[in-house]
Amino acid sequence: MKRRILVSLTAACVTALICVIVGKGAAAILDERVRTAIEKVAVRYGVECRYDAVSFVSLTGVSIAGLRVSVPGCPSFLRAADVKVLFDLRAYMTGKPYVTGIDADEAELILRRDAQGIWDLTRLSIREDSAAGKRASTIAWPLSIEVDEFAMTLDLSQDSATKTIETVEGTMDLPGKKVQFHLENGDERLTLSARRESVYRVEIDAESFGLGVLAPLVGRILDMASAKLTATGGLDAANPREWTVVVDGSIADLTVHHDLLARQATDGIAFGFTLDAAAANGEMKIHRAEFSVGGETAVVSGLARSASGSSGMKPEIDIRVSFPHVQIDRLVRSIPRSLVPHLPNLAADGSLHGEFHFYCDFENPRTLEYGFNGDVDSFAITGLGPDVNIDSMAGTFLHCARLPEGKTKEIRVGPENKDFVPLKNIPGALVGAVLCAEDGSFFSHNGFSGKHLHDAIVENLEAGRVVRGASTISMQLAKNLFLSRERTLGRKVEEALITLALEQKLDKKRMIEIYLNIIEWGPDVWGIGQAAQYYFDKPASALDPIECAFLASIIARPTKKWGKQPLNHIQGWWAYVRLLLTKMYRRGDVDTAVLVKAGVSDTEIMALVAADSATEILLPPPDEVSWTGYQ
């Protein structure tokens, strides 16, 4: 019995010794094979591979410490503190593919683009190896990949962002043209898979996955730091210009920083979406896109084409947005309060349903067409804010005008103010002149003029810059009463909401009365009462039609130094004043004697008398009027 035990122990020791000797020999061979393999990869892909050490860690792995991979002349785009190359020793000993996986710790991938817009990875120069197809692969596909503490950095010259992922698990099957990766980071989850068949197919499944790393791609306008994506879907692409996408999901906690939107960050933006779209031959077609905000849904369909015109690439857009049944109160509640800071108690009632259509060939802006076909039921603004008290404006109230540099000017609107002029004492010619200059449809619209907006968009697109506004008197009143002079989308949203409330609570005569008594007519000249005295040394009730036309003409330029008795020295401005008077004649505010007195030629007067009253008389923007001789 003892002899048997001794023989067994001796055999075990000899077997262990043989395994150690074989293992050490294999380790040395594998160590050299790893070094050679790294060098071959570097040569084939045109990269530089550096590492601190290669060591044999077990019978199933080789460790590469301090791996750094870069494009020649560029910083490293791939780094890892430790990379273990896993292999099957028995497969290696029998001449079969033996590399089974990659297990890395503290790895980082850096996608870098320089100031000229060139990505580092596009500088890779892959060399074809004619013998590669004849040699057996050393990799046992599919290759498994695991990474603990993986960081991805997007570095775009002037801006960069990094996202760290706790664990990454995936498989690569290059012969089968398939890859799949699963990323987890606390509550965040993302699965990406891609395969090459007749087209490239990419699928995504995300749950509350942070989008902060994308910030450099969209600039700091969109703050992705807290934004989360939840989505499922897929993309099929034959090439970058031919693709189809179907995806369903939501984005939460998006923040927008832009001076054109609001002076402060607009945070808490959230919406759901569904997208079914395709692109081919320079045309993108939206089969169906749904956007959900505050539980209310809009459905978008249409197409956009790009074509080369006389002034470069200009799109042609044909879009329809349908609103199945929208509860306005829920939609209004979803507006971020940082976007409407002056309206903390914003609330509304009502519902709408219908379809909005927009078409424009931007090569020819005059093709612009848009409109809404539907119904708005029981709409009402029910809340704004403590500083927006429209009900008080039925009687005397204190208006605080906002001046540049944060200064203010208090104006009492009512009989207690000696400069206040009630509407009954304001000449009809002045009201008519102001309507001709600012808003001809004031007494018939509901606060907004579709025609003014259409014409302004067309002229601005043709000029390539903002040359004309579309504000009605109602909108100007909302701005002057409650808002600052900043030009932001947020202020425009507030302006539109206050305009709706003004139209809802005040009649038109009271609105025009307030407007004429609070607007600025010159440097520190507020209201028509002060304006009449300042320019013509008379009360407002005594203004003649030509003086009224002049005062209406300067509303867009109130701070110029027009001087006393300006009609005596506005040589270059007379053309604009006469144009206003011709429009006033068409409205019935003045007769031909006034036109003669103003210097309108007999030929022009005869043409006016003979012309169809529906013929439009176009007024050029003040910027296009000659200023010759004006001091």
Side-chain angles (χ1 to χ4, degrees):
M1 175 64 94
K2 291 182 180 180
R3 183 178 180 183
R4 287 182 179 178
I5 294 173
L6 182 61
V7 170
S8 297
L9 288 173
T10 302
C13 290
V14 171
T15 302
L17 180 60
I18 292 173
C19 288
V20 169
I21 294 173
V22 171
K24 288 292 185 181
I29 296 172
L30 284 170
D31 181 271
E32 181 60 29
R33 292 292 295 269
V34 168
R35 294 176 186 272
T36 302
I38 290 175
E39 291 173 0
K40 287 183 177 180
V41 168
V43 171
R44 181 173 183 191
Y45 291 97
V47 297
E48 295 178 349
C49 295
R50 296 180 295 277
Y51 49 88
D52 297 333
V54 176
S55 59
F56 181 73
V57 293
S58 70
L59 291 178
T60 58
V62 171
S63 176
I64 305 172
L67 177 66
R68 303 174 300 282
V69 182
S70 64
V71 177
C74 299
S76 301
F77 67 83
L78 180 64
R79 297 192 288 254
D82 182 67
V83 178
K84 293 182 178 66
V85 181
L86 306 178
F87 53 83
D88 183 336
L89 181 60
R90 184 167 56 182
Y92 171 74
M93 299 297 290
T94 57
K96 297 179 180 179
Y98 58 89
V99 177
T100 60
I102 303 291
D103 189 350
D105 293 322
E106 299 180 25
E108 181 180 17
L109 174 66
I110 304 102
L111 303 177
R112 188 180 293 105
R113 188 178 69 187
D114 63 22
Q116 286 71 46
I118 300 174
W119 295 88
D120 282 2
L121 292 182
T122 62
R123 295 185 171 96
L124 291 176
S125 55
I126 300 176
R127 300 182 182 180
E128 296 295 333
D129 186 350
S130 59
K134 301 177 182 179
R135 296 196 303 265
S137 171
T138 60
I139 299 176
W141 302 105
L143 180 71
S144 68
I145 298 176
E146 293 187 13
V147 183
D148 291 330
E149 295 297 322
F150 171 72
M152 186 172 76
T153 297
L154 201 59
D155 186 351
L156 305 188
S157 180
Q158 299 299 320
D159 198 5
S160 65
T162 299
K163 183 175 182 63
T164 301
I165 304 296
E166 293 176 0
T167 61
V168 177
E169 297 179 351
T171 58
M172 295 180 62
D173 183 359
L174 296 187
K177 299 178 181 179
K178 295 185 294 184
V179 297
Q180 178 172 311
F181 287 95
H182 180 75
L183 294 73
E184 288 196 8
N185 193 44
D187 295 333
E188 301 178 72
R189 178 180 59 80
L190 174 65
T191 299
L192 286 172
S193 62
R195 62 180 182 271
R196 179 71 167 95
E197 295 173 346
S198 58
V199 296
Y200 292 96
R201 173 70 178 172
V202 179
E203 295 178 342
I204 180 175
D205 184 2
E207 181 68 35
S208 298
F209 193 77
L211 300 175
V213 72
L214 300 178
L217 285 176
V218 296
R220 291 306 178 185
I221 294 176
L222 294 180
D223 185 349
M224 299 287 197
S226 302
K228 303 285 187 181
L229 171 68
T230 298
T232 58
L235 169 73
D236 292 323
N239 57 62
R241 293 178 58 83
E242 295 184 32
W243 49 262
T244 61
V245 61
V246 177
V247 63
D248 178 80
S250 64
I251 290 179
D253 297 325
L254 180 66
T255 298
V256 178
H257 296 274
H258 200 287
D259 286 346
L260 291 179
L261 182 63
R263 290 293 181 256
Q264 58 183 343
T266 304
D267 54 13
I269 298 173
F271 59 90
F273 63 89
T274 297
L275 178 62
D276 180 356
N281 303 318
E283 177 179 291
M284 185 178 75
K285 182 175 292 185
I286 301 174
H287 301 297
R288 182 179 178 87
E290 291 187 13
F291 296 93
S292 176
V293 178
E296 301 302 322
T297 300
V299 181
V300 181
S301 61
L303 58 86
R305 299 187 184 95
S306 60
S308 180
S310 59
S311 54
M313 298 296 291
K314 294 291 184 71
E316 178 186 3
I317 297 176
D318 190 356
I319 294 291
R320 294 183 181 275
V321 184
S322 63
F323 303 92
H325 186 76
V326 174
Q327 294 295 326
I328 294 175
D329 61 330
R330 295 203 298 181
L331 186 63
V332 166
R333 285 200 305 269
S334 69
I335 298 175
R337 287 305 181 260
S338 53
L339 186 64
V340 287
H342 299 97
L343 309 178
N345 303 331
L346 179 62
D349 283 334
S351 63
L352 69 87
H353 68 275
E355 182 180 81
F356 174 80
H357 175 229
F358 176 94
Y359 173 81
C360 186
D361 179 353
F362 285 79
E363 178 65 24
N364 180 14
R366 294 193 177 276
T367 61
L368 173 67
E369 294 180 0
Y370 62 86
F372 177 76
N373 182 21
D375 295 310
V376 180
D377 300 323
S378 305
F379 173 76
I381 298 290
T382 58
L384 291 169
D387 297 327
V388 186
N389 187 355
I390 296 176
D391 292 329
S392 68
M393 294 174 188
T396 299
F397 66 95
L398 187 65
H399 167 56
C400 185
R402 293 166 176 81
L403 307 178
E405 300 177 358
K407 298 179 181 180
T408 59
K409 171 79 173 183
E410 289 189 346
I411 302 170
R412 187 162 295 278
V413 184
E416 294 86 345
N417 179 0
K418 65 180 180 59
D419 294 318
F420 175 79
V421 184
L423 185 60
K424 64 182 180 180
N425 294 338
I426 296 175
L430 179 65
V431 175
V434 171
L435 296 183
C436 287
E438 298 294 315
D439 183 3
S441 58
F442 171 71
F443 282 100
S444 60
H445 64 56
N446 63 352
F448 309 93
S449 172
K451 183 179 186 307
H452 285 178
L453 180 60
H454 176 278
D455 294 345
I457 294 174
V458 169
E459 290 187 27
N460 294 336
L461 287 174
E462 288 180 334
R465 60 188 179 90
V466 178
V467 297
R468 176 176 175 178
S471 293
T472 63
I473 286 177
S474 305
M475 296 167 70
Q476 292 180 49
L477 183 60
K479 175 186 67 176
N480 282 295
L481 284 171
F482 303 112
L483 302 173
S484 65
R485 300 188 178 198
E486 68 182 31
R487 297 190 174 189
T488 65
L489 178 59
R491 201 216 69 187
K492 277 294 183 184
V493 172
E494 291 182 317
E495 181 182 295
L497 292 167
I498 295 172
T499 297
L500 290 169
L502 285 171
E503 292 277 346
Q504 175 183 314
K505 296 188 175 185
L506 298 178
D507 65 42
K508 292 285 191 175
K509 290 183 178 180
R510 178 57 175 165
M511 290 172 67
I512 195 69
E513 182 181 64
I514 294 172
Y515 176 79
L516 295 174
N517 276 280
I518 69 167
I519 63 173
E520 188 178 12
W521 298 85
D524 202 31
V525 178
W526 300 89
I528 188 58
Q530 287 189 10
Q533 290 292 340
Y534 177 80
Y535 290 112
F536 301 109
D537 296 318
K538 61 174 67 174
S541 58
L543 292 168
D544 68 36
I546 298 177
E547 292 166 342
C548 291
F550 167 78
L551 290 173
S553 77
I554 67 171
I555 290 177
R557 291 180 175 272
T559 58
K560 292 293 182 181
K561 296 179 181 179
W562 300 99
K564 297 286 187 178
Q565 300 299 328
L567 297 178
N568 296 329
H569 52 78
I570 58 164
Q571 299 173 19
W573 197 248
W574 264 111
Y576 186 46
V577 173
R578 291 183 184 115
L579 281 170
L580 276 177
L581 287 166
T582 58
K583 293 200 77 171
M584 292 168 65
Y585 172 81
R586 299 291 287 275
R587 281 177 43 90
D589 296 316
V590 300
D591 56 25
T592 55
V594 173
L595 299 182
V596 171
K597 184 178 179 180
V600 180
S601 70
D602 292 341
T603 302
E604 292 174 303
I605 293 174
M606 291 176 63
L608 283 172
V609 172
D612 181 349
S613 61
T615 303
E616 177 72 8
I617 299 175
L618 297 177
L619 289 176
D623 284 343
E624 297 180 11
V625 177
S626 171
W627 285 73
T628 304
Y630 172 70
Q631 299 295 328

